[in-house]
Each structure stands twice: as structure tokens, then as C-alpha cells.
Amino acid sequence: MIRSAQKNSIDAKKFDVSSTVDNQWCPGCGNFPILMTLKKALADVGCTPTDTVFVSGIGQAAKLPQYMNSHFFNGLHGRALPVATGIKASNPRMHVVVASGDGDVYGEGGGHFIHTIRRNPDITVIVHDNMIYGLTKGQAAPTSQKGLVTPTQPRGVYDEPINPMTLAISLDAPFVARANAGDPKQAQDIITQAMQHKGFSLVDIFQPCVVFNKKNTYQWFKEFSYTLGPDHDPSDRNQAFARATEEDKFPLGVLYQHDRRAVFEEMIGTYDDDKRPLFERELHRGAIDALLSTRK
Amino acid sequence: MGHKLSKDFTIVVAGQAGQGIESVASVLAHVLKKQGYHTYVAKDVMSRVRGGMNSLMLRVSNERNDAYREKIDLFVPLDPRAYAHYAKRFSARTIFMGVPDPAHTTSRGDDKRSIIPVNFIQLAHDVGNRIFANTIAAGTILGLLGTDKEIGTHYLRSFFQRKGEKIVDQNIKAFEKGYTIGEHAAFQEDIHVTMVPKNDVEDYIFLSGAEAVGFGAMAGGCNFISSYPMSPATGVLTFLAQNGRECGVLVEQATDEIGAINMTLGASYAGARGIVTTSGGGFDLMTESISLSAITETPIVVHIAQRPGPGTGLPTRTGQEDLVLARHGGHGEFMRVIFTPGTPEQMYALTAHALDLADRYQIPVFVLTDQLMMDSLYCAPEEAFSARDVTQYVVETDSDYKRYALTKDGISPRGVPGHGAGLVHSDSDEHDEEGRITEDMDFLRKEMMDKRLFKRKRLLEKVALKPDRTGDAKAPIVVISWGSNKAVLEEAWVKAKNVKVQIAHFTQTYPLHPSVVDLLAHARTVVVLENNATGQFADILEVETGEVVHERMGSWNGEPFSVEDVTKKIRAL
Ligand SMILES: Cc1ncc(C[n+]2csc(CCOP(=O)(O)OP(=O)(O)O)c2C)c(N)n1
Ligand SMILES: [Mg+2]
């Protein structure tokens, strides 16, 4: 997004909403540290409320834009990614960030996840991975671990969980990372890198759901994860893939990162010789009339 | 005995998919137009890439007749199986010219019909390659009709110019070979075209229905389209993809219709003017997002090119079965507008108008067409398609901007991200003026519903289009059509000469202009002609006006109404 990593003094507080906004998250929810972390990362990158657009679907995570002082489009369950792509393509000057749930992005919107990575718009996608459907009260998500008993999986989850890391790497997503809401410092650093990376960047964040997921708690995420060391080379796709398949302990950090792919907004030709967003442009009347005259 | 082709006549060229009958029809249409005639081409194709049996109907006349005619005056089969396929469209006056008829389908009892035998493929081989069969066929037909040979060769020269001198020469040779055969056959069989062209088509242009919608989109300021291919709607996407770069339209093929409409809504939120093109099945997938467009007040235009369903139905045939879907698709209650153009001029003008209206009232607007219109090649006056002024409704925001500010007329000024000091919050949850979630049912829910539904309805009824009426306004029977049946009904009404009947065509089928109540109330008998089984527009008329529709004249076999059929129906009223 922003090409230089230079720190900016903009206070993360700029992204705070008025205290009259009623926050609908449960006390202790992992979404709070993610929100705080995101604001700091935005400030690090140099974003301002008026040049940042948050896009989300529906779910508890998808309410995040409501609590962020920026532009936002809070759309339908599962449909954040095509909306974000349309915004970025129509006005590449905007920083476009998706913040939504694991059910939203990988389940209802699973097809969009795959094809948005193929398109590679320069957007950042933050997935609040609580391994559960929070808003609808605790059914299994595509990331739910096998055996988890829920109101709609009384015999426990038997479907294989999705692995967003291997999936994104297999599609050659240019930036694939995982963070933990229980470690906000590290999460902030990872999100900052994701925002700075040009192209589609995915940050899957472990997010404890303190009400509906009694298994995957702050403690559990801490216990079953570790931070990638300096020995990991994120530009090496095979190494990244090997790490991403580890499931006894999940690796945290930037698993995969490269700049070998052109971004969507630059491939479509729309901005080759005119950098203005679409809403600033005039009708191409001459070209349309010329085309009509070829139909004689 | 001899044949005279007088007022207007119909040529049908039939062959397998892949035999290139389209190019035959295109050469004929262009040359006949240069000769001063009005032309109209309708396509009848099977849902397959090769084989099967396809045809193109070309109407030639000295006035504009853009309707489907059943009876064939000149039948040109490139494949022997075509005879059996089109037998019901032959009359005692049909001239046959082409490959022989192995099963003698053309003969009725003792009436042995002669066929002018021409083996196009054999002749093409003589010229050097079977690909010239189309040019030979075009040449033969134009020779038979006695058109100016120079006009034909001149057209072919300009058409094939970019392919090099050799191709030009071979095509002209093929054309002349065919022309001589046709000319000779006309002499032997005593065939004459006695129709005198009025020469009023010089400033006409050729365009398909898909192109008319595409040009309308461009002229209406559309600069974004994301869609997923589906017959018969794909032509619009292809046209914009081919010309978007020069004409300022960003085109992205989506990987499903849900992605297509959501991408377009994202673009629209960011200030683009967006359209999606699809058919009924694809629109089914979009319905939740229509509802999203409504609650977020994000403008969008949806072009639905109808084909018969349910399910995959008849993918390459025509129908008008999705009006009720367009009227009701999407959960919850909100306003929308549905345009149902009947001519290429209307497809152009109403697509442009739809884009303006969507932006001005921040609502979803539909343009409904169908396979018949999409795939027809029209010849219409160029001036009807000239560019128009586009109004930009987006405002620059200030720091206290509220996306859903409550206003008297219900329309909140539309800001977009990156234009001004304000923040633009769009929300699919019920929301307050700022766009934040609310569950205030006493005040905000009521106000927001009023804004989206009741206030919008009042505004939209004021700008609704009146039906086009023809005939004596006091005639007791009114026959109503919408969309593609405009041309067939008007022509049939003239032919039927039934003074008890007046006709009305609706280019806007929702919401209705308030005067429609009077139109129905004053008629003794209300008849609605439409290509569906249940009478979908008849239902809308009854619900919206409280009046009764007495007769539902439906057809749902996948074929267009023919002039002959509708003429009979009007005579019988
Ligand atoms: C089309 C549609 N289907 C279902 C729902 C109901 N729904 C809302 S959110 C949700 C799942 C939320 O899970 P997730 O995306 O993981 O978000 P979380 O609440 O866990 O943060 C469901 C099933 C809906 N709003 N729309
Ligand atoms: Mg979840």
C-alpha cells in the first residue's frame, strides 16, 4: 500500500470513533486487541481516516468498520472481497482494508477468496479467525477444529478444517501471514508489513471467542503457536508451504512474501495514462461517436 | 408463372452452426441497405457450437419492419436437413434456392415445387476453398434479387481489405460466380423485385440489440462493468470489453454473478457508474445484492436479457419470463425501476436513462431485454444514438457529512470516499444517518423505510414513462405489450385493420405512470400480449391499478410472436 515504511507521527487515536457509538462485542473478546492493533498499524503506515476504506461482510468481526473512524462499506455476509476489489479498481488512491470473520471470508465467501487472490488487487485482508461462527451463536466455521462439539455439530466437527495459509500460498498470494490477537505487538508489526506490501495481503489473526468457543482460548492459541524465527525465508514458496502445513503448533509471522505478481489495478489498463479515479473522469464522447460511425 | 417480390419480403438462410450463415446475412443486410432498403435480421440458433440447425431471417422492405415474420419468401438452405426443420414456414409462394431437398419436404401433394439447385460448397471448392461458400451464397441471393453488382463487390472489398489483396480477390471472384448464377436463375424462373426503395436509410447504422444496450451504457456514463457470461446477455459484456479501453469503461469478467454484482456495487460506492449484464439464472444469484444496493442506497443498473426457464431452460431461445423476478427479486421492501425497451433506439436511450436514474435516486434500476432483441441486427437512424450529456450527482463532502442524512424528499446527497473531508459509511444493517448500525425501531427504522420506499415511490412515479399508445384512444379494446413485442404488435395492428382495437407499449413496467389506471379503466377489454405462460405483466397491471386484465395472450414455446400470428389474434378480437 504505502511504499515507504517510514513511520508517521499520526496518532492512532485519529481512528477512534465517538464514545457514543455502541460497541456490540462481548467483554474480553479477541476483537478488541485486533481493533486497537489495526489503528496503530494504520498510523504506522501513514493512513488517514479520509484515505482509508474498510470493507466487511456480516458477523461479529465484520462489525469492526463500525468502530473505526474511516470510510466503510459494511456489506453482505461473505461478499466483502469483490466489493473491496471494485473500490480499489475504481479509486486506487484509497487504502482498502477488509476486516471480516473466518466464516465470512473462507466459508460463505470462499469462492471470492480464491478468485480475489488470482486477481491480486492491492488490498489488505484481515481475517478474525476464532474458529467459530460468533454472531449466529457458536456453529462450526470452516476453520473449526475436528471434534469441536457445537449446537449444530452434536457429534463433533468431522469435516477437515480449511488451512487458509496453504490455500493462499498455493494460489501464490504475494503476502501470507498469521498473527495472534493475544500478542498485539507482533500483530501490529505483521499488519503494518501487510499494509505496506503491494498486492493482495492476507493476515489471518487468531481471535479467541470468549463466549462460543471454549476450546480455542487465549491460552490455547498461545500454547499451540510459535513465532517463525530468522531462519525462515518467506520468499521461498516451498519452505513457506512446508511451514504452513504444520498443525501441531501453528507458525506465526510472515509465512510467504514476494513481489513477482503485478497488481490488478495496474493490469486492467484503466490507469496507464490517466491516474484519476473513475468518478473524476468525463465521458469519452469522441471515442463513442467514432465507434458508432463504424456501424454504417 | 413467375414471382414478384413487392412490398416486403423475407429471406431465410439456414445451415449448421459453424457454417457461417451470420456472415451471409451481414453481407446481404449491408448491400441491401446501400441499395436503399430497410433490413432487419433475426437469429434462430440452437445451443451448440457446431452442427444442429440454425437460421437467420432477413426482412427486406421499403419501410422499417423490425418484427419476426413466420412465412418465408426466399429459402436458402446450405444444408439439406434445413428443409424438414423449417417446413412449417413455407408457403405456396416460397422460392427455394440452395442444396437439393432429399425428402421432397417442399412438395405438397401433386404440387411439385421446383428448387433452384445451387451447391454452394461445391462451387466454393471450385474457387479454391470451402470457406467461400458464404460469399457465393450472398452473391447468388443478390444476383437473384437483381441488386447492383458493383455495390456488392465494393462492400466486399472494404470488408476484406485488412485481410489482404488475395483474400479480397478470391471473395470477389466467389461473389461474382454466385451473382451470375442468381441472375440467371431469376431470368429462368421469372423472379422480379418490384419493390421500389425509398432511399431513406443512408444515415442509418447497423447494430445488434446487445450493441444498442452497450452504446446506451457508454452514453449514460457507465465506466464500470463486471459480469459473468450467460446467453443471451454476454454480447453486452463482449461489446464493452472490446471497446472499453477507448470508451472509458473498466471491464472485468467475474467468476460468478454474486462476485460480479458485489464488485460493481463496490465500484459504485467509490463513485463509478456501474452496470451488470446477465440472464434470469444469473440474476437469481444476484438478488441478495439487489437488496444490498437498496439498503445501502448504492446505485446499480442490472441488464437482464431474458430466455425461457426454469433452470437452464432454452438457453438460446426467447421469452419474457423474468419480469416478476425483476420486480420482486431481493428480500425486504424497497423501490426499483424496470425499463422494458422495445426498439434499438429505446434499448440505447433507456440504458443511458437507467444509469442516470440509478445515480439520481440511488436505487437499483433494471433494463429487461430478451434473446430476440439481443441477437437481432437492426438498421436504425444514427442520430438516435448520438451522445448525450451526463449529469454527475456525486457531491464533495465536508467533515460533518452524513451518508443517510434525512431530507424532505428522501434523497441524501451522495458522497464518495476520497472526495471531500467527510467519511462515507455504507451499511447493509439498518442504520442511522451516519451509516452506523441501529435498532431504533420507533424513529430511525421508520424514517429509513420511509426514505427508501414511500418517498422514493412518490418521486419515481413522477418521472415514470407513459406507455406509447397507437390508434383511437376511444377504441374499446386495448392490446398491451412490453419489451420486444412492440414491433410485432404495431405491424400486426396495421395489418389487422380492426378499428375496435387500440394498442399500447410499455417501456416502463414498474412503477407505472399514474395515467395507466385511466387507460385500463376506460377500456372495455384489456388484453396483454407477452411471452410467458402466466401473464406476468398482466399481474403487475392488476395489482398496481386495481383494474382487470380480461385476456392474457401468452406464448411460452421459446419462439417470438410472428406478425402473422398476432395479426390473426387481433382480427379475432
Ligand atoms: C446470506 C446469509 N447467510 C447467513 C447469515 C447469518 N450469519 C451472519 S454472520 C454468520 C457467520 C459469522 O461467522 P464469522 O464470519 O466467522 O464471524 P464471527 O461472528 O465469528 O466474527 C452467519 C452464518 C447471513 N447474515 N447472511
Ligand atoms: Mg468466526
Side-chain angles (χ1 to χ4, degrees):
Chain A
M1 309 214 92
I2 281 276
R3 298 324 138 212
S4 90
Q6 66 171 256
K7 294 275 192 260
N8 193 302
S9 64
I10 290 179
D11 190 349
K13 284 208 171 331
K14 282 212 158 149
F15 295 98
D16 288 349
V17 292
S18 138
S19 56
T20 56
V21 175
D22 166 37
N23 191 303
Q24 300 182 12
W25 289 335
C26 314
C29 177
N31 285 333
F32 287 106
I34 296 178
L35 176 63
M36 183 193 70
T37 300
L38 254 174
K39 288 178 183 172
K40 288 184 180 161
L42 292 175
D44 282 348
V45 177
C47 295
T48 64
T50 49
D51 68 12
T52 308
V53 186
F54 269 80
V55 184
S56 68
I58 295 296
Q60 283 296 81
K63 287 176 183 162
L64 183 138
Q66 304 269 342
Y67 315 132
M68 181 71 81
N69 191 44
S70 71
H71 301 285
F72 70 71
F73 189 99
N74 186 178
L76 295 174
H77 186 41
R79 314 299 167 202
L81 290 177
V83 171
T85 307
I87 296 170
K88 188 69 188 180
S90 304
N91 187 352
R93 290 178 191 157
M94 292 287 119
H95 300 285
V96 180
V97 187
V98 170
S100 231
D102 46 358
D104 193 87
V105 177
Y106 306 137
E108 187 90 47
H112 305 308
F113 180 68
I114 290 170
H115 298 294
T116 306
I117 294 177
R118 291 180 48 230
R119 265 188 202 101
N120 197 31
D122 183 13
I123 62 175
T124 300
V125 179
I126 310 290
V127 182
H128 302 220
D129 187 352
N130 55 7
M131 303 184 170
I132 205 82
Y133 282 4
L135 182 63
T136 48
K137 303 192 188 307
Q139 306 82 5
T143 44
S144 291
Q145 303 271 296
K146 278 188 173 179
L148 187 76
V149 173
T150 84
T152 50
Q153 281 81 19
R155 299 166 60 212
V157 169
Y158 36 73
D159 290 348
E160 189 66 27
I162 201 165
N163 181 331
M165 300 290 102
T166 55
L167 181 55
I169 295 167
S170 77
L171 293 162
D172 211 25
F175 187 100
V176 183
R178 189 164 240 163
N180 181 3
D183 185 349
K185 238 350 316 84
Q186 185 192 52
Q188 180 186 335
D189 178 50
I190 292 171
I191 296 171
T192 302
Q193 290 184 57
M195 295 277 305
Q196 284 168 336
H197 191 88
K198 188 170 166 181
F200 182 98
S201 45
L202 171 69
V203 185
D204 180 279
I205 308 188
F206 287 143
Q207 173 238 327
C209 170
V210 296
V211 175
F212 293 111
N213 189 337
K214 300 289 186 206
K215 181 161 176 246
N216 308 107
T217 58
Y218 282 99
Q219 187 52 42
W220 188 93
F221 281 124
K222 195 169 175 188
E223 195 173 321
F224 290 95
S225 66
Y226 74 97
T227 298
L228 288 166
D231 60 318
H232 178 63
D233 174 8
S235 68
D236 181 336
R237 194 175 181 193
N238 288 330
Q239 213 188 100
F241 199 85
R243 283 295 170 89
T245 57
E246 294 171 4
E247 284 177 352
D248 39 349
K249 260 180 182 267
F250 297 101
L252 302 176
V254 181
L255 278 94
Y256 187 46
Q257 181 174 14
H258 68 89
D259 52 14
R260 291 186 293 271
R261 290 183 57 194
V263 302
F264 179 63
E265 314 82 88
E266 290 175 9
M267 289 186 288
I268 49 182
T270 309
Y271 300 97
D272 289 357
D273 29 51
D274 186 351
K275 303 291 173 210
R276 291 175 301 163
L278 296 184
F279 77 85
E280 285 182 12
R281 299 187 181 194
E282 312 76 26
L283 192 69
H284 291 211
R285 184 178 288 220
I288 299 169
D289 282 343
L291 184 61
L292 260 177
S293 67
T294 65
R295 294 297 192 272
K296 272 261 165 70
Chain B
M1 203 179 72
H3 291 274
K4 279 201 170 56
L5 297 170
S6 50
K7 246 175 71 63
D8 71 276
F9 57 91
T10 303
I11 306 169
V12 166
V13 183
Q16 292 180 32
Q19 276 190 332
I21 55 171
E22 279 90 350
S23 65
V24 180
S26 168
V27 173
L28 293 180
H30 281 85
V31 173
L32 287 163
K33 179 202 162 201
K34 290 214 162 63
Q35 195 83 45
Y37 294 111
H38 288 262
T39 62
Y40 165 69
V41 180
K43 219 180 196 177
D44 167 31
V45 302
M46 286 185 153
S47 181
R48 49 196 284 180
V49 178
R50 290 282 178 268
M53 190 52 61
N54 296 345
S55 73
L56 283 154
M57 179 204 78
L58 174 77
R59 287 194 69 179
V60 186
S61 49
N62 52 16
E63 56 190 46
R64 185 127 170 235
N65 276 321
D66 292 351
Y68 176 75
R69 244 192 97 209
E70 184 177 5
K71 288 293 172 250
I72 300 172
D73 297 304
L74 171 60
F75 186 64
V76 185
L78 271 65
D79 184 286
R81 290 171 308 138
Y83 288 99
H85 204 85
Y86 295 99
K88 72 170 184 185
R89 295 178 61 185
F90 302 156
S91 76
R93 296 193 352 250
T94 306
I95 302 165
F96 301 92
M97 180 172 71
V99 296
D101 171 18
H104 299 284
T105 323
T106 52
S107 305
R108 303 242 171 84
D110 293 338
D111 175 21
K112 290 270 179 288
R113 309 289 305 282
S114 69
I115 292 168
I116 303 163
V118 192
N119 192 332
F120 302 111
I121 292 167
Q122 185 53 51
L123 289 166
H125 277 300
D126 298 347
V127 180
N129 193 322
R130 62 176 290 149
I131 59 164
F132 298 116
N134 301 321
T135 307
I136 292 177
T140 313
I141 296 166
L142 291 168
L144 188 85
L145 300 178
T147 57
D148 186 340
K149 191 156 118 187
E150 287 299 304
I151 295 179
T153 52
H154 186 261
Y155 173 75
L156 289 175
R157 186 172 296 284
S158 63
F159 186 79
F160 288 109
Q161 203 168 27
R162 59 192 170 84
K163 295 200 172 168
E165 208 46 42
K166 186 157 176 246
I167 301 280
V168 171
D169 287 345
Q170 282 176 308
N171 272 288
I172 288 181
K173 207 168 137 203
F175 178 82
E176 286 177 340
K177 198 175 179 100
Y179 190 91
T180 306
I181 294 169
E183 206 177 19
H184 187 67
F187 177 72
Q188 281 211 319
E189 303 278 327
D190 194 16
I191 296 166
H192 297 279
V193 175
T194 55
M195 173 171 57
V196 183
K198 291 187 189 147
N199 284 312
D200 53 353
V201 290
E202 209 177 313
D203 293 325
Y204 278 40
I205 56 168
F206 283 103
L207 77 184
S208 69
E211 290 173 333
V213 170
F215 273 118
M218 287 175 177
C222 170
N223 49 22
F224 193 99
I225 179 170
S226 176
S227 289
Y228 190 76
M230 183 170 190
S231 295
T234 314
V236 176
L237 180 63
T238 310
F239 174 75
L240 292 174
Q242 291 297 318
N243 302 294
R245 186 83 163 79
E246 299 74 50
C247 300
V249 189
L250 196 170
V251 183
E252 175 66 0
Q253 182 185 322
T255 46
D256 60 66
E257 285 80 358
I258 304 178
I261 189 166
N262 279 281
M263 210 187 293
T264 306
L265 286 171
S268 177
Y269 162 78
R273 218 169 244 204
I275 188 168
V276 290
T277 177
T278 187
S279 190
F283 180 66
D284 285 343
L285 295 181
M286 294 182 175
T287 52
E288 188 191 17
S289 309
I290 290 300
S291 193
L292 176 68
S293 153
I295 195 162
T296 57
E297 304 187 31
T298 308
I300 192 159
V301 172
V302 181
H303 168 238
I304 305 179
Q306 299 165 102
R307 69 191 216 192
T312 305
L314 292 162
T316 60
R317 305 292 164 177
T318 202
Q320 297 184 306
E321 301 177 7
D322 300 327
L323 180 60
V324 165
L325 176 68
R327 163 71 187 90
H328 294 287
H331 57 286
E333 298 176 303
F334 53 88
M335 276 311 288
R336 67 186 83 207
V337 172
I338 304 173
F339 292 123
T340 46
T343 63
E345 289 93 329
Q346 291 176 349
M347 283 188 263
Y348 168 84
L350 292 178
T351 305
H353 182 49
L355 285 151
D356 178 76
L357 215 69
D359 262 28
R360 186 160 150 210
Y361 296 105
Q362 305 173 29
I363 51 165
V365 178
F366 293 82
V367 177
L368 255 67
T369 64
D370 56 29
Q371 181 272 330
L372 175 65
M373 300 173 94
M374 282 292 98
D375 296 342
S376 286
L377 183 68
Y378 298 93
C379 190
E382 181 175 12
E383 68 203 17
F385 302 91
S386 56
R388 45 191 61 217
D389 288 327
V390 169
T391 312
Q392 174 63 276
Y393 298 98
V394 165
V395 299
E396 192 176 336
T397 57
D398 41 32
S399 54
D400 57 358
Y401 177 73
K402 291 189 172 82
R403 176 66 188 88
Y404 303 108
L406 295 172
T407 61
K408 197 156 165 276
D409 65 359
I411 309 294
S412 319
R414 175 168 160 237
V416 300
H419 190 37
L423 296 178
V424 182
H425 299 156
S426 277
D427 197 352
S428 112
D429 290 90
E430 190 57 276
H431 41 253
D432 60 15
E433 289 183 85
E434 262 186 60
R436 288 210 158 78
I437 298 181
T438 184
E439 293 194 33
D440 172 357
M441 273 98 87
D442 297 327
F443 178 71
L444 281 171
R445 168 67 180 172
K446 217 183 114 291
E447 287 293 325
M448 290 297 167
M449 282 299 284
D450 204 23
K451 177 185 203 303
R452 291 186 298 259
L453 185 61
F454 301 110
K455 286 182 175 174
R456 288 285 208 294
K457 182 151 200 221
R458 282 194 287 277
L459 289 175
L460 291 168
E461 276 172 356
K462 274 195 205 127
V463 296
L465 304 174
K466 287 187 188 166
D468 304 331
R469 294 174 64 174
T470 310
D472 179 2
K474 293 204 180 68
I477 305 170
V478 54
V479 181
I480 288 169
S481 71
W482 57 278
S484 62
N485 286 325
K486 179 180 172 66
V488 75
L489 182 56
E490 284 176 0
E491 191 179 338
W493 178 80
V494 170
K495 290 207 157 82
K497 296 193 176 67
N498 183 342
V499 292
K500 288 178 294 179
V501 176
Q502 55 166 314
I503 57 176
H505 177 262
F506 282 69
T507 50
Q508 180 167 344
T509 36
Y510 188 80
L512 298 176
H513 188 273
S515 69
V516 175
V517 180
D518 283 348
L519 170 69
L520 301 198
H522 291 141
R524 188 193 72 207
T525 310
V526 177
V527 182
V528 182
L529 178 87
E530 50 189 323
N531 294 94
N532 56 59
T534 54
Q536 300 196 2
F537 187 48
D539 282 344
I540 291 180
L541 282 170
E542 289 194 341
V543 169
E544 296 296 318
T545 65
E547 298 294 329
V548 174
V549 171
H550 304 87
E551 190 180 335
R552 293 164 189 239
M553 235 175 223
S555 168
W556 54 95
N557 62 2
E559 289 173 1
F561 279 110
S562 69
V563 177
E564 294 90 335
D565 183 20
V566 179
T567 306
K568 249 187 259 157
K569 287 186 157 87
I570 294 185
R571 278 206 186 111
L573 286 171

